[in-house]
Amino acid sequence: MEFYKYQGTGNDFVMVDNRDLQFPKDKKIIEKLCDRRFGIGADGLILLENDQNYDFKMVYYNSDGGESTMCGNGGRCLVAFAFFLDIFEDKCKFIATDGEHEAEIHNGIIKLKMIDVKTVSHDGDDFVLNTGSPHYVKYVEELADYNVYDQGYGIRNSENYKEKGINVNFVEKISENEIFVRTYERGVEDETYSCGTGVTASALTFLQKDNLTSVKVKTLGGNLKVYAEKNGESFRNIWLEGPAKQVFRGKVDLL
C-alpha cells in the first residue's frame, strides 16, 4: 500500500488516498501502521475518501486503531494532502465525523474552520467543552516543567471521564494574546506534540476570559493561531491556522 506521512506542528499522521475504498479498515492493521517501532509511526491514520457532496471525506483513526472524533491538526494535514493530490486549488469543503468543514491553503499555511461551540462547561475551576472532540482545559503555572502525562492520565481516567475518555489540556498564559498548551490525548494515551482540537478548546477558554477575537498558541511542535467570534456563551466562526507538511511517502506491506 502506498502511504504518505504528514505532520502539523509535530502531530503526525499516516495518510492514505482511499478514494478506491481498497484500504482494509482493520483495527490491528491500523494500530500496527501507527506503531513507532514496528510500523510507520504516527499519532493517527487518516483516510481521504470521496463524498458526492464535498471535495472529499475525512476518516480518522487514533494510533490505537479505533475510529475517533475530529482531529484539528489531522484535518489541516488532510487539507494539505488533498491539495497535493490536486483535488482543489486554494479553498475546499470536506465532511468529517463532526460535520462540514471549510479550509484554505496559502504557502503551506492551512486555515481550517472548526465547528461552532455552543457551551463551555465547568468542572470546578477547569473547563470542559467539545470542539469536535471532548476536551478538559486546566490552567497551570510553569507548564514547561509540568508532569503532563501523570496529571493528564489521572483526569482522563477519573470517574467522570473514564468511560468515554477525554483529552486533557494544560494551559499557561504567556502574554495578553498568547498561551502555551500541552495536551494528553485519549486514544494515543500519551502527550502529543500538538492537538488541534485541544488548542482550539484552550484558546476559546482564553478568549472567553479575556474577550479577544484571536489568540496565538505555542505548542511543543510549533505555533498555531485561533480566531473566533463570541456570541453570548457560545462561539462561532472558529478557525484554526498553522503549517502542515509532507514528511515522506513510501509503500508498506499490510500483511
Side-chain angles (χ1 to χ4, degrees):
M1 181 197 75
E2 185 174 31
F3 72 90
Y4 298 79
K5 179 75 174 286
Y6 275 75
Q7 65 86 11
T9 53
N11 212 186
D12 59 342
F13 308 93
V14 174
M15 295 284 181
V16 179
D17 181 357
N18 195 41
R19 287 177 289 179
D20 60 4
L21 299 178
Q22 293 301 302
F23 181 81
K25 298 179 180 180
D26 182 275
K27 187 176 187 293
K28 290 183 178 179
I29 290 176
I30 295 167
E31 185 176 16
K32 180 181 177 182
L33 291 173
C34 291
D35 191 284
R36 297 191 183 279
R37 293 186 181 273
F38 300 101
I40 300 163
D43 292 325
L45 181 143
I46 303 176
L47 303 178
L48 185 150
E49 296 184 351
N50 285 321
D51 188 285
Q52 62 180 1
N53 298 315
Y54 296 91
D55 292 303
F56 53 92
K57 177 182 178 181
M58 174 182 180
V59 184
Y60 174 68
Y61 298 88
N62 279 325
S63 60
D64 64 1
E67 188 170 355
S68 190
T69 47
M70 181 59 185
C71 175
N73 285 330
R76 292 191 307 101
C77 286
L78 187 64
V79 170
F81 183 41
F83 179 76
F84 168 77
L85 295 175
D86 293 324
I87 292 175
F88 71 97
E89 291 187 1
D90 56 0
K91 295 183 179 181
C92 65
K93 287 186 178 181
F94 68 93
I95 189 72
T97 183
D98 63 338
E100 178 183 297
H101 291 269
E102 298 175 40
E104 53 190 69
I105 182 169
H106 300 286
N107 298 320
I109 301 298
I110 293 88
K111 194 171 181 180
L112 172 67
K113 190 174 185 181
M114 308 296 285
I115 63 168
D116 293 345
V117 173
K118 295 181 179 179
T119 58
V120 179
S121 303
H122 292 267
D123 185 339
D125 293 330
D126 304 325
F127 302 88
V128 178
L129 61 159
N130 193 307
T131 52
S133 290
H135 283 276
Y136 188 104
V137 179
K138 183 179 184 67
Y139 282 77
V140 302
E141 296 181 354
E142 298 181 356
L143 181 53
D145 299 319
Y146 198 77
N147 193 331
V148 169
Y149 178 85
D150 285 353
Q151 297 300 318
Y153 179 91
I155 295 170
R156 182 257 185 270
N157 290 286
S158 63
E159 185 175 348
N160 288 342
Y161 306 111
K162 184 174 183 179
E163 183 179 352
K164 294 184 178 180
I166 198 164
N167 302 285
V168 185
N169 307 274
F170 300 95
V171 184
E172 181 180 15
K173 180 178 178 178
I174 297 176
S175 69
E176 295 305 313
N177 67 342
E178 186 174 10
I179 56 176
F180 178 27
V181 179
R182 294 175 65 186
T183 304
Y184 178 98
E185 285 198 53
R186 65 171 186 174
V188 179
E189 303 308 335
D190 203 348
E191 181 180 8
T192 57
Y193 272 60
S194 177
C195 172
T197 53
V199 160
T200 303
S202 301
L204 293 182
T205 66
F206 189 74
L207 294 174
Q208 182 185 55
K209 291 167 59 179
D210 289 38
N211 201 29
L212 302 170
T213 56
S214 67
V215 59
K216 298 176 182 178
V217 186
K218 173 186 173 185
T219 72
L220 295 180
N223 299 318
L224 295 161
K225 193 170 184 179
V226 176
Y227 307 82
E229 294 176 6
K230 190 176 178 183
N231 182 31
E233 295 301 312
S234 63
F235 289 91
R236 63 189 179 189
N237 205 22
I238 304 166
W239 293 82
L240 173 66
E241 180 183 76
K245 297 181 179 180
Q246 185 178 131
V247 183
F248 61 87
R249 61 193 289 187
K251 292 184 179 180
V252 63
D253 189 349
L254 294 178
L255 300 178

